[in-house]
Amino acid sequence: MIRLLRLENAALAALAIGLYWVSGASWWLFAALILVPDLSFIGYLRGPRVGARVYNAAHSWIGPVLAGAAGWLWQEPPAVSVALVWAAHIGIDRALGYGLKHEAAFPTPISAASASIDRPKEGRQLILCRKLCIAAPVPG
C-alpha cells in the first residue's frame, strides 16, 4: 500500500512538472521556488504545535489546487506556474516518504512507513500510521 501511495505521488509530481514544461514558464523560476514550501519549518521555532500546523499548511494539496484554479480562472499564468511548482514539491516529498507532521511526534511524519505509538500527557494513546491519526482513550 505504501508503495502505491508513493507511486501515486510520483505520478502527480511528474504531471505537475510536465504541465509546467508545457506552460513554457521559466525553469529558473522552478529552481527558485521548488524548496520554498520547506521554509515552513521555521514554524517549529514557535514549538511543535505551531510548527506542525505551518508545515502541514504548506504541504497540503489544498494550497496548490486553489492557487492553480484561481490562476486559471483569472487567467494569471504566474499563479498557475507557482501552483505547479508547489504541487511538484508536495508530490516529490510524498514520493520520497515525507508526509504531513503531527504536533506530538516531531519529526515523525504522519505518513511514516512504520506505525509508532506515543503516550501524550493527556492519558491517551496516539497511534500514528500512514495518513491516519487517532487519539484513543487508554483502557484501565
Side-chain angles (χ1 to χ4, degrees), residues 61-114:
W61 286 106
I62 296 169
V65 168
L66 290 177
W72 178 75
L73 183 67
W74 292 313
Q75 299 179 353
E76 291 291 336
V80 174
S81 297
V82 168
L84 289 171
V85 175
W86 193 358
H89 175 93
I90 294 170
I92 292 167
D93 266 8
R94 304 252 177 106
L96 293 174
Y98 300 106
L100 300 177
K101 308 293 182 212
H102 191 275
E103 54 197 51
F106 177 81
T108 305
I110 291 174
S111 62
S114 62

Side-chain angles (χ1 to χ4, degrees), residues 31-58:
L33 296 179
I34 192 65
L35 295 178
V36 167
D38 285 337
L39 294 176
S40 61
F41 268 116
I42 293 172
Y44 279 99
L45 294 175
R46 301 283 301 179
R49 179 179 216 157
V50 172
R53 288 180 179 177
V54 172
Y55 180 90
N56 291 346

